[in-house]
Amino acid sequence: MSLFKKLINKHTLSLATNAVLPVLGMVILSLLAHRLSKEAFGNYVFFLIIFTLADTFRTGFLQTSLIKFYSGSTPERMHNISGSTWYLGAIITTAFAVVNLLIYLVYPGTDPDIVITLKWFSLIYFCTLPSAVSLWILQAEERFDKMFILQLMNQGGFLILVVILAFMGRSDFNTTIYSYFAANLLSSIICIIIGWAKVKTIAGKSWATIKEMAHFGKYSVGTSISSYLLRSSDTLIVKPMFSPDLLAVYYIPQRLMEIFEIPLRAFISTALPAMSAAVQRDDKKHVTYIMKKYAGMLTMALTPIAIICFAAADIIIGIIFGAKYYHSDAGNIFRIFMCYVMLLPIDRFFGITLDIIGKPQLNMIKVFIMLTVNVIGDFTGIFVFHSLYAVAVASIFTFFSGAIFGYWALKKHLQFKISDIFVLGYIELKELIGIVMQKIKGKPLTE
C-alpha cells in the first residue's frame, strides 16, 4: 500500500479541503499583488472585504444550523433540513441583492472600481449560493473528499483565469472581478448537475424546520458577522485613516494568518459533526473530550510554527508578495500577530462548543466583547499612538478577552480546567505523531 493511501482519512482529507481555499487564495493574492498597482490591489482587497461580509452573513445564518440539525438525523429529516436551508438561503440572497441594487441606483460617486463592485455583487452572490449549500451539506455528511474537489474546482478555476490574464497582460481590477464571477458560476452549475447541491429537496422544506433553523441562526449569524467584523475591523478602520498602500501593507500579514486558519478549519470541520452527534446522545463528557482534544492538539502544534514565522516574517512576505513589501511594516505587524496564535484554537473551540451545546447566544456575546475590545484598541492605537503597530497590538488583548469569557461561560455547563486542554493536547498529539510514523514505516498499529 502506498504512503499516500496509508495517510488518507477524514482528518487528512479535511486538512486538505480547508487548505485548498486559503493556499490557492494566497497564490491568487500573490499574483494580483505583483500584477496590479497598489491602488488597484487595495480596491480588490476592499471588494473581498465587502463580498465576504455578505457571504459571512449567509454562511453564519445557515452553516452551523444545518450541521447541528442534519448530522446524525434520519434521511427524512436530512431531506427536510437541506430543503429548508435552500429556502432560507434564497431569501437571504435576494434580500442582499435588492439592497445592493438600491445602493447602485443611488450611488453618487464616480469611482469606476466601486461602480463595478456594485454592478457585479448581486450576480456573484446569487451564483455562489449552490456551491455554498453543497459545501455545508457535504461537511455535515463528512464527505471531505467531495469538499476537496469542490474547493479545488472553485479556487483552481479562478487561479487559472488570473494566470491567463497575467500572461495576456490584461490584469486589472475589472478583469479580476469578471474572473471571480466566472469561476464561481461554473462551480455552482457543476454542483447542481451532479446533485451535491440537493436543489430538489427544497420541495421538502417545512415551516417548523425553517423557524427552528432561523431561531438558531439569529444567534449564529450574530456570531459570524461579529467574527468577520473582528477579522476585518482593523482593515475597515485603517482604510479611511491611511493611504491605500498602507491598507495593503496591513492586509498582507492578516492574510498570512491563513497559515493558522487551515488546521483550525480542518479540525473544526471534523469536530462539529462528532460534537453534534454527542449532543444528540446527551453525552456531555464526550463533547468536553472532543473540545479539549482538538483545542489542545492545535495549540501544541501551532506554537512552534508561530515561532518560525516570527523569525522569518520578512523572508516569507518578500517571497510571497514581492520585493516592494520586503522589510516593510508588514513584517513587524505579522510578528505581533504571532504573539496571540496560542490563543486561537482555545478561543475558536470555546465558541463552537457553546454553539453545539445550544448556547449560541453566549458565543455571540463572547465575539461582541472581542469586537468591542478590538475597535477600542484600534482607535486608541490610531489617535493616541498614531501607529499601525498599536492597531496590531490591540489584537492580543482582543483574543485574551475572548478566551477568558469563553472559559467562564463553558464552565457553567461542562466540567474541565484550562490545564486539561494542554495536557490532553500533548498526549493526543504525541500519539498521533506515533501513529503517523508507524504508518510511514509500514509497521502494524498496536492497540
Side-chain angles (χ1 to χ4, degrees), residues 5 57 94 147 232 252 316 336 356 362 367 380 428 444:
K5 290 182 178 179
F57 183 94
T94 302
M147 287 179 67
S232 59
I252 283 172
I316 293 171
I336 293 172
I356 288 298
L362 292 178
V367 182
T380 301
E428 292 285 349

Side-chain angles (χ1 to χ4, degrees), residues 10-57:
K10 71 176 184 178
H11 300 290
T12 53
L13 283 171
S14 177
L15 182 62
T17 298
N18 285 275
V20 169
L21 184 62
V23 169
L24 290 183
M26 192 69 67
V27 173
I28 292 168
L29 203 65
S30 176
L31 284 172
L32 293 176
H34 283 85
R35 303 295 298 183
L36 301 180
S37 66
K38 283 190 174 183
E39 290 74 20
F41 183 64
N43 284 328
Y44 175 70
V45 167
F46 183 69
F47 162 77
L48 281 182
I49 292 170
I50 298 302
F51 182 79
T52 307
L53 177 59
D55 187 60
T56 298
F57 183 94

Side-chain angles (χ1 to χ4, degrees), residues 30-268:
S30 176
L31 284 172
L32 293 176
H34 283 85
R35 303 295 298 183
L36 301 180
S37 66
K38 283 190 174 183
E39 290 74 20
F41 183 64
N43 284 328
Y44 175 70
V45 167
F46 183 69
F47 162 77
L48 281 182
I49 292 170
I50 298 302
F51 182 79
T52 307
L53 177 59
D55 187 60
T56 298
F57 183 94
R58 186 170 63 189
T59 300
F61 200 95
L62 298 172
Q63 183 182 31
T64 304
S65 181
L66 182 147
I67 294 170
K68 175 178 172 59
F69 297 116
Y70 192 101
S71 299
S73 298
T74 63
E76 293 78 13
R77 174 68 166 166
M78 292 178 180
H79 187 86
N80 180 248
I81 292 294
S82 61
S84 300
T85 300
W86 261 106
Y87 184 82
L88 286 168
I91 291 176
I92 293 170
T93 304
T94 302
F96 269 87
V98 170
V99 172
N100 173 75
L101 177 61
L102 294 175
I103 295 174
Y104 175 69
L105 292 176
V106 302
Y107 176 65
T110 58
D111 187 332
D113 291 344
I114 299 296
V115 172
I116 289 292
T117 298
L118 293 173
K119 184 181 293 185
W120 284 86
F121 174 88
S122 295
L123 286 173
I124 296 174
Y125 201 47
F126 267 112
C127 78
T128 55
L129 179 60
S131 59
V133 174
S134 299
L135 277 174
W136 306 334
I137 293 174
L138 292 173
Q139 182 181 348
E141 295 175 346
E142 299 189 75
R143 292 306 309 266
F144 300 109
D145 51 344
K146 293 181 179 179
M147 287 179 67
F148 176 77
I149 294 171
L150 177 52
Q151 293 281 48
L152 184 63
M153 182 170 54
N154 193 320
Q155 284 295 102
F158 184 33
L159 174 60
I160 290 171
L161 292 174
V162 169
V163 170
I164 291 173
L165 289 170
F167 275 114
M168 294 174 61
R170 298 286 302 278
S171 298
D172 58 32
F173 180 79
N174 289 7
T175 56
T176 301
I177 297 299
Y178 302 155
S179 300
Y180 192 88
F181 167 74
N184 281 282
L185 178 62
L186 179 61
S187 296
S188 286
I189 290 174
I190 293 174
C191 285
I192 293 172
I193 292 174
I194 63 181
W196 291 353
K198 299 186 186 295
V199 178
K200 294 181 180 179
T201 61
I202 194 170
K205 73 181 188 305
S206 71
W207 292 112
T209 301
I210 290 172
K211 290 179 181 178
E212 185 180 21
M213 295 183 70
H215 176 69
F216 185 92
K218 69 184 180 184
Y219 294 115
S220 62
V221 73
T223 302
S224 296
I225 290 295
S226 299
S227 296
Y228 178 73
L229 289 175
L230 177 60
R231 293 192 301 271
S232 59
S233 58
D234 290 354
T235 306
L236 293 172
I237 291 171
V238 165
K239 179 176 173 59
M241 302 292 180
F242 298 94
S243 60
D245 57 318
L246 285 180
L247 173 64
V249 165
Y250 194 89
Y251 186 73
I252 283 172
Q254 282 189 315
R255 282 307 302 264
L256 281 174
M257 292 301 291
E258 293 283 357
I259 295 170
F260 304 95
E261 288 291 335
I262 291 171
L264 268 174
R265 291 170 183 162
F267 275 58
I268 288 172

